[in-house]
Amino acid sequence: MNDFDSFLADLRSEFRQTLEGRMADVEHAWSGLSGAGGAAARRQLILHAHKLSGLAPTLGFTSLEGLADAVEKQAEAGLHAAALEPAVSALLAEMRRIGDGP
Amino acid sequence: MPRSLEKVLYVDDEPMLCRVVKVALEKVGGLTVETAGSGAEALTAIPEFHPDLVLLDVMMPDIDGPETLRRIRHTVAGHFLPVVFITARARKSELEYLGPFGPAGVITKPFEPLDLANRLQAIWAGLSDNPVADE
């Protein structure tokens, strides 16, 4: 393993440790869609999903890209919280699986 | 514009991507890289760091990439500065949306870190034929 591979391996490990906080961000934004600050929550949900779809596959977590992209697109399309639930749940489940991994 | 690409400012609010890009461009590409975590930080960094090129994330909280570029264009140091957008949005209509903002190029995420320097060098090489347009 060369220096860059070693650097990426360390960063992947670090990314796993950030997933709990990132999951909380996604859940918080999703749960806020129905409230008074729904528009701001939607922007946050789109942003969190967008960042995941860019970062995760760059670090090698390719399974998160499509799931995050689905949440982003559905949120952008204006789906309400209940309609977004399947996509958000799928994303959170995969984040949890990766976060619990080695 | 210098003959070779040497200094790059990378602007992204995601710290982990900043680290990937900095290491990839410095260790693999031999470039000097500074990072900024927001459009506002970029506007401060440009006249201090004097980058040859800015690699600018499109979707950021507060000031997004296109608005950051618009503000860069209204500064002395950034009026003709080549700016390359980097975005997870790869849909054709969205890339066309970025065109009027005058980027020198667009790189889509996810990207292969080891290939990023080559992609920037290719964009840089093309600039001699197509200098950055004024607004």
Side-chain angles (χ1 to χ4, degrees):
Chain A
M1 181 180 283
N2 63 33
D3 286 351
F4 192 75
D5 289 339
S6 177
F7 165 74
L8 277 184
D10 289 344
L11 213 54
R12 279 194 286 270
S13 175
E14 194 176 321
F15 175 73
R16 280 196 178 95
Q17 293 169 28
T18 70
L19 280 174
E20 193 173 326
R22 293 177 191 270
M23 287 171 64
D25 288 340
V26 170
E27 285 183 299
H28 180 72
W30 174 63
S31 66
L33 287 178
S34 304
R42 185 173 298 278
R43 282 195 298 275
Q44 285 300 309
L45 182 59
I46 291 168
L47 190 64
H48 293 315
H50 181 84
K51 292 298 171 184
L52 271 173
S53 70
L55 173 62
T58 300
L59 297 179
F61 298 105
T62 53
S63 62
L64 286 176
E65 181 182 9
L67 296 169
D69 197 43
V71 170
E72 181 186 355
K73 286 177 181 171
Q74 291 180 24
E76 281 185 328
L79 268 63
H80 54 75
L84 270 163
E85 194 272 339
V88 170
S89 292
L91 173 61
L92 292 174
E94 183 62 5
M95 292 170 77
R96 186 173 297 110
R97 186 190 69 77
I98 291 172
D100 290 343
Chain B
M1 191 158 59
R3 290 181 185 175
S4 62
L5 176 60
E6 296 172 359
K7 296 167 68 177
V8 173
L9 176 67
Y10 179 57
V11 188
D12 197 319
D13 63 299
E14 174 54 66
M16 297 185 85
L17 267 181
C18 285
R19 288 160 60 192
V20 171
V21 168
K22 183 173 175 65
V23 170
L25 293 182
E26 289 189 339
K27 301 290 186 188
V28 181
L31 303 171
T32 300
V33 179
E34 289 287 335
T35 62
S38 67
E41 281 186 29
L43 289 164
T44 301
I46 287 169
E48 296 175 355
F49 178 53
H50 298 293
D52 301 322
L53 181 148
V54 175
L55 185 57
L56 178 61
D57 186 34
V58 170
M59 187 177 280
M60 296 185 289
D62 302 324
I63 309 173
D64 67 9
E67 174 60 19
T68 300
L69 175 53
R70 191 188 70 79
R71 295 188 189 187
I72 288 172
R73 287 285 177 261
H74 284 88
T75 66
V76 173
H79 197 63
F80 296 106
L81 185 61
V83 173
V84 174
F85 278 135
I86 185 163
T87 177
R89 294 173 176 275
R91 293 182 284 254
K92 186 171 182 288
S93 60
E94 290 161 342
L95 297 182
E96 288 171 348
Y97 155 77
L98 297 174
F101 293 98
V106 177
I107 290 175
T108 55
K109 300 176 189 172
F111 56 87
E112 169 52 57
L114 296 177
D115 191 42
L116 186 58
N118 286 337
R119 295 177 69 179
L120 282 186
Q121 292 289 4
I123 291 171
W124 182 258
L127 288 177
S128 58
D129 298 327
N130 300 289
V132 177
D134 196 359
E135 271 191 325

